[in-house]
Amino acid sequence: MKILNMLTWHSASLWLVITTLAMADTGSKVSSENVDCGEGSVVSGETCQVPPDQARYDHYRIYNVQFDTDEQIKLFQKLEDESDSLTFIGHAREIGQKLSILVAAHRVADFADLLKTYHIEHRVLTYNFQDKIDSNLREVLPDSIDPSKLDWQHFFHLKTIYAWLDQMAEKYSDRLTVLDMGSSTQNNRIMGIKLSTNPNNKAIFIEAGIHAREWISPATATYIINELLTSQDAGVQKLARDYNWFVFPSVNPDGYKYTFEHDRMWRKNRQLFGTSRGVDLNRNYPDHWNSTGSSSDPTRYDYAGPSAGSEVETQRLIDFIRSHAKKEQIKTYIALHSYSQMLMFPYGHTKERVYNYDDLQEFGKKAAAAIKAESGRDYVSGSLYETIYPAGGGSMDWAHAELEIPIAYTFELRGPPDSQDLFILPAVQIQPTASEAFTAIRTIVEAAAEKGYYK
Ligand code: 0X9
Ligand code: ZN
């Protein structure tokens, strides 16, 4: 009994540390007069500490496996189908492919045995994934801070990002306006900015945060806005002058909030389907919807939704782009994701090539070389289909196909394909990652301009 009590106290103090350090605004401190501190909670002074409703990944491991035979590939396809305690980052597809898999603690022995039995080459990249999450949550500044404190050394709540957009629009009111695409499924706003010095400029649209857990994406979006407004670099100032910029840092605000409050690994939106939630918004667009690389099962991370464009967030973006693409002359669409260090262009659903494949490949290669020169990081460039994996229903593919936006890229930002952190990029890497992403955009836009794309 005593041991049990100590265990309860021990884990309670852990909750306390976590809620205090990282989730001060979302913790579950209950003021306690007449509160019954039931089993599993603890009385601390005048308060009753209840464990927060948060997913935990204690002793989850990341394995990186390599497939050498078709038998191994079939085995892992079956394994992914059968199990929701193995999170595959991609699907088993081809010989020579390397794949990272997050293995739940209770499956470690069983999974390790399987690797041994079938002689599967592998490495353990991380032994306790919760450690990564805990240090990442300590890098979040509370949502009560003044938005002028927003920087690129920390991660920020949606509320702070939106307040910062407002503040920047006030400060640079001659050039910057805040835009509102409308509300999300759970009634959060989908906010962004337009930066414009000349109504006749061609425009560049940047979409970030469609996948909730990819926190580097909204952080990169705010970095780009800040650079365009404040950089002393003549080349950047010219970019801000010669183009109009639409930047939306969080096109899946419900999902983003959920990663701060409940599950750092959440990817989809938060729409309810009976016993499970969420559509992968980057599978929900009406371009080769649900044709390949997506699922019809709402429990899956790549659920395409009940129909093409079914989701509120998808509709908001579609309506916005449809009504602005021609009027605002949007010629470039960039979608920011992580991770894997890739600069990809359409198509996502077929290996056939877009009409301007050679140009997009050339600009992508130039951008990758510019990143290499800046930070030494290796980024791979190519079509989505040949670079990452086939997937239909993506936003960028739709923008390129329906609205004929010729320069369209999806970036996978840091870390590398065999990252030990998956999507949990340490905050120290925000600044260099965002900087190299902006360098890539700049390189692509300048190269496309030379080829006459913005005439
Ligand atoms: O799977 C995705 O949606 C993207 N990768 S991520 O790890 N960030 O989830 C990339 C694929 C994008 N595919 C298309 N736009 N077709
Ligand atoms: Zn993504």
Side-chain angles (χ1 to χ4, degrees):
M1 188 60 194
K2 194 154 198 185
I3 292 171
L4 203 78
N5 270 342
M6 278 173 64
L7 276 176
T8 314
W9 273 92
H10 177 67
S11 38
S13 60
L14 261 180
W15 303 322
L16 228 144
V17 169
I18 291 161
T19 40
T20 315
L21 282 175
M23 299 193 162
D25 56 328
T26 59
S28 322
K29 217 173 213 176
V30 180
S31 121
S32 85
E33 248 171 80
N34 302 325
V35 170
D36 174 16
C37 279
E39 202 184 327
S41 43
V42 86
V43 188
S44 151
E46 284 301 298
T47 60
C48 180
Q49 197 73 34
V50 177
D53 298 330
Q54 281 161 11
R56 290 193 59 87
Y57 294 86
D58 302 272
H59 308 295
Y60 276 51
R61 285 188 186 180
I62 304 168
Y63 280 85
N64 191 260
V65 300
Q66 183 174 330
F67 304 120
D68 298 323
T69 67
D70 286 326
E71 189 204 8
Q72 292 174 345
I73 293 169
K74 288 212 182 73
L75 186 82
F76 271 70
Q77 285 171 344
K78 189 163 175 288
L79 197 60
E80 189 188 2
D81 259 8
E82 284 168 359
S83 179
D84 66 353
S85 40
L86 305 174
T87 306
F88 281 56
I89 312 297
H91 305 288
R93 293 187 301 117
E94 58 197 18
I95 288 176
Q97 176 195 0
K98 289 181 176 166
L99 189 67
S100 289
I101 302 169
L102 181 63
V103 178
H106 72 282
R107 293 296 304 278
V108 162
D110 175 34
F111 187 79
D113 172 70
L114 207 67
L115 296 176
K116 205 168 157 191
T117 306
Y118 289 94
H119 307 289
I120 292 164
E121 277 185 61
H122 65 275
R123 286 187 298 153
V124 178
L125 300 178
T126 296
Y127 282 93
N128 185 0
F129 194 55
Q130 187 63 40
D131 284 349
K132 304 279 183 190
I133 294 176
D134 287 346
S135 39
N136 184 244
L137 293 176
R138 284 193 290 271
E139 300 171 330
V140 178
L141 293 191
D143 73 354
S144 52
I145 59 156
D146 188 279
S148 63
K149 296 275 185 313
L150 187 137
D151 62 20
W152 295 274
Q153 277 79 49
H154 300 89
F155 291 102
F156 294 93
H157 289 268
L158 186 70
K159 185 181 157 198
T160 312
I161 294 175
Y162 283 177
W164 181 80
L165 295 182
D166 285 336
Q167 205 172 65
M168 293 300 269
E170 252 173 56
K171 196 165 169 191
Y172 299 95
S173 57
D174 58 326
R175 285 165 277 171
L176 198 69
T177 21
V178 171
L179 301 173
D180 184 351
M181 267 187 196
S183 55
S184 64
T185 306
Q186 295 181 326
N187 257 323
N188 292 297
R189 311 307 298 178
I190 303 173
M191 310 290 290
I193 57 92
K194 177 184 180 185
L195 169 64
S196 169
T197 52
N198 178 350
N200 299 321
N201 282 347
K202 305 291 189 293
I204 295 163
F205 185 94
I206 299 179
E207 162 220 296
I210 200 168
H211 288 147
R213 62 195 175 188
E214 298 165 13
W215 284 7
I216 186 59
S217 169
T220 299
T222 56
Y223 178 90
I224 291 169
I225 296 168
N226 191 57
E227 280 297 296
L228 288 167
L229 291 166
T230 66
S231 175
Q232 297 304 307
D233 181 306
V236 176
Q237 289 177 352
K238 185 170 158 49
L239 272 185
R241 230 179 15 247
D242 291 354
Y243 301 90
N244 293 340
W245 296 76
F246 292 90
V247 186
F248 284 80
S250 184
V251 300
N252 174 14
D254 303 351
Y256 189 65
K257 280 182 91 165
Y258 194 74
T259 59
F260 285 77
E261 292 164 7
H262 298 292
D263 185 355
R264 180 63 186 83
M265 284 295 279
W266 190 257
R267 164 181 169 98
K268 305 183 283 179
N269 77 350
R270 292 294 301 160
Q271 180 64 267
L272 183 64
F273 298 95
T275 51
S276 56
R277 281 190 194 264
V279 170
D280 181 346
L281 297 173
N282 209 34
R283 299 290 183 278
N284 191 236
Y285 282 76
D287 180 69
H288 299 87
W289 177 79
N290 213 9
S291 59
T292 176
S294 57
S295 171
S296 303
D297 175 355
T299 67
R300 295 278 157 178
Y301 75 87
D302 52 1
Y303 177 44
S307 60
S310 57
E311 299 312 292
V312 175
E313 296 81 3
T314 311
Q315 290 157 18
R316 299 294 188 212
L317 199 127
I318 286 178
D319 290 349
F320 184 89
I321 304 273
R322 274 191 187 144
S323 60
H324 288 77
K326 293 281 171 291
K327 191 171 71 186
E328 297 281 356
Q329 306 186 84
I330 300 176
K331 299 288 177 198
T332 299
Y333 191 102
I334 309 270
L336 298 175
H337 288 252
S338 70
Y339 64 96
S340 284
Q341 297 177 193
M342 292 169 174
L343 309 175
M344 309 174 296
F345 49 84
Y347 293 116
H349 65 282
T350 169
K351 67 172 190 292
E352 274 165 44
R353 295 180 165 193
V354 287
Y355 73 93
N356 59 343
Y357 179 97
D358 290 344
D359 285 346
L360 293 177
Q361 179 69 292
E362 183 192 320
F363 307 156
K365 287 228 150 55
K366 272 191 183 161
I371 291 179
K372 181 80 181 166
E374 175 175 316
S375 67
R377 289 279 174 153
D378 289 307
Y379 278 66
V380 171
S381 170
S383 83
L384 272 156
Y385 190 95
E386 60 198 22
T387 314
I388 187 161
Y389 39 70
S395 58
M396 176 214 65
D397 313 64
W398 167 81
H400 182 269
E402 183 182 310
L403 292 157
E404 298 173 351
I405 296 176
I407 308 296
Y409 287 85
T410 296
F411 288 3
E412 297 286 0
L413 303 172
R414 293 190 193 183
D418 62 349
S419 163
Q420 300 178 348
D421 314 303
L422 306 182
F423 309 93
I424 320 293
L425 190 72
V428 64
Q429 296 209 31
I430 298 171
Q431 202 279 339
T433 305
S435 173
E436 72 201 13
F438 189 47
T439 295
I441 293 172
R442 183 176 165 178
T443 307
I444 288 166
V445 169
E446 287 170 356
E450 251 178 60
K451 277 253 159 98
Y453 276 94
Y454 304 115
K455 284 236 166 77

